[in-house]
Amino acid sequence: MPHRAVNGLRLHVQQAGEGPDVILIHGVTGDLSIWFLCRAMQALAADYRVTAFDLRGHGYSEVTPSGYTSADHAADVLALMDEIGADRARIVGHSFGAVIAAHTAVLAPDRVEAVVLSDPYFPALRHLEDVSRWGHWQNFRREAEDAGVILSDEHWYDLGQFFDQVLHLSDDDMLKFRRAVGLPGTERLLRLCQTTCGEDTKVEAGLTVDRIGSIHVPVLALYGEASPFLATADYLVEHLPDCRRALVPGARHRAPEENPEAFLAALTSFLESVDSARAMGDAQ
């Protein structure tokens, strides 16, 4: 299993293809397998050197007790770029992975050529959203409550509360939770619950409204057409200098899984436009 020494820890990394660098970043509680399941890894490898990795504390990467803000993860991304010899890269992130991608562009604008933001919400823009309108959230709330985890519309973003309750479930409720999540997923989630990840994902960590608006490279705001975070998509298009929006039909928050074909078509189209603009710039 390939691991790389990155920023003082061991990250599980998968790489394929040759060409300009593309970095793929999954969301909190997920892992890099999402990029294989939606075939982004395989498709992009035809034209790019594609690197996917498990975030610290996730998948097969090392678990650290702390260091889970978007700024911490962005520092890992930049260190990974150093490790693989990528001076610049196009960065694709899903959910909190997209927040990390944006933070990377803010911290090192000279190293990021373009950013794909797949269905993120940003702690600094939390006031824009009302997740209680999202049917999937209500279903998840009911399933969680059946296992003894109480979630509220007011604190939908609070992974810290969620993780703490999971850690303190009774034996009977933990059995229900394991059945709902699945054994491998449960074990990894319990491992993550013992870190500061839940609290760290709530904070801006320097990714303020102004700094989000300062991202000047080409950005694709790629959202499911029924995403609960469409107000954030509108905000990004209105306030970033070079941002376009694409909606994935039939998808909510997890477009790479819910409609992988349309997700991949929008992603590759955007990257091709970045290639074309770069070629025109080089020719001038």
Side-chain angles (χ1 to χ4, degrees), residues 44-263:
L44 295 179
D47 299 298
Y48 305 97
R49 183 172 70 155
V50 189
T51 304
F53 70 103
D54 288 331
L55 296 172
R56 63 167 67 200
H58 294 71
Y60 295 105
S61 286
E62 182 179 344
V63 182
T64 57
S66 59
Y68 293 88
T69 69
S70 58
D72 295 321
H73 287 299
D76 290 345
V77 172
L78 292 170
L80 176 60
M81 290 173 62
D82 291 339
E83 169 66 18
I84 65 174
D87 293 330
R88 305 186 73 201
R90 299 99 187 274
I91 303 184
V92 180
H94 175 66
S95 194
F96 193 69
V99 180
I100 298 166
H103 212 143
T104 305
V106 165
L107 293 178
D110 58 324
R111 301 194 65 183
V112 177
E113 290 187 289
V115 180
V116 177
L117 303 177
S118 170
D119 231 278
Y121 84 90
F122 293 83
L125 301 177
R126 188 180 297 132
H127 61 281
L128 297 177
E129 305 297 354
D130 178 9
V131 80
S132 66
R133 298 173 298 184
W134 186 23
H136 177 76
W137 163 251
Q138 301 304 337
N139 292 337
F140 179 71
R141 276 186 63 183
R142 287 191 289 271
E143 292 175 0
E145 288 173 2
D146 287 343
V149 179
I150 307 304
L151 305 171
S152 70
D153 290 341
E154 181 183 3
H155 297 291
W156 58 269
Y157 58 86
D158 196 335
L159 274 179
Q161 287 190 21
F162 174 66
F163 284 177
D164 185 64
Q165 291 184 70
V166 170
L167 283 176
H168 293 91
L169 288 175
S170 68
D171 290 343
D172 288 343
D173 284 337
M174 179 58 74
L175 182 59
K176 296 177 186 176
F177 189 80
R178 288 176 182 275
R179 287 171 178 167
V181 176
L183 183 58
T186 305
E187 296 307 317
R188 292 179 185 179
L189 181 59
L190 289 174
R191 185 179 66 173
L192 197 60
C193 287
Q194 299 175 60
T195 73
T196 63
C197 178
E199 296 299 318
D200 288 354
T201 56
K202 298 187 298 186
V203 300
E204 293 181 11
L207 192 59
T208 62
V209 170
D210 289 342
R211 296 190 83 182
I212 293 170
S214 73
I215 299 172
H216 66 271
V217 298
V219 174
L220 175 64
L222 181 54
Y223 283 73
E225 66 174 357
S227 167
F229 304 125
L230 291 179
T232 296
D234 292 338
Y235 181 93
L236 294 173
V237 172
E238 292 171 8
H239 291 85
L240 270 61
D242 186 3
C243 180
R244 71 197 75 172
R245 183 176 72 165
L247 297 181
V248 180
R252 298 172 183 174
H253 176 59
R254 299 192 301 271
E257 302 169 60
E258 294 162 335
N259 190 344
E261 293 81 9
F263 174 85

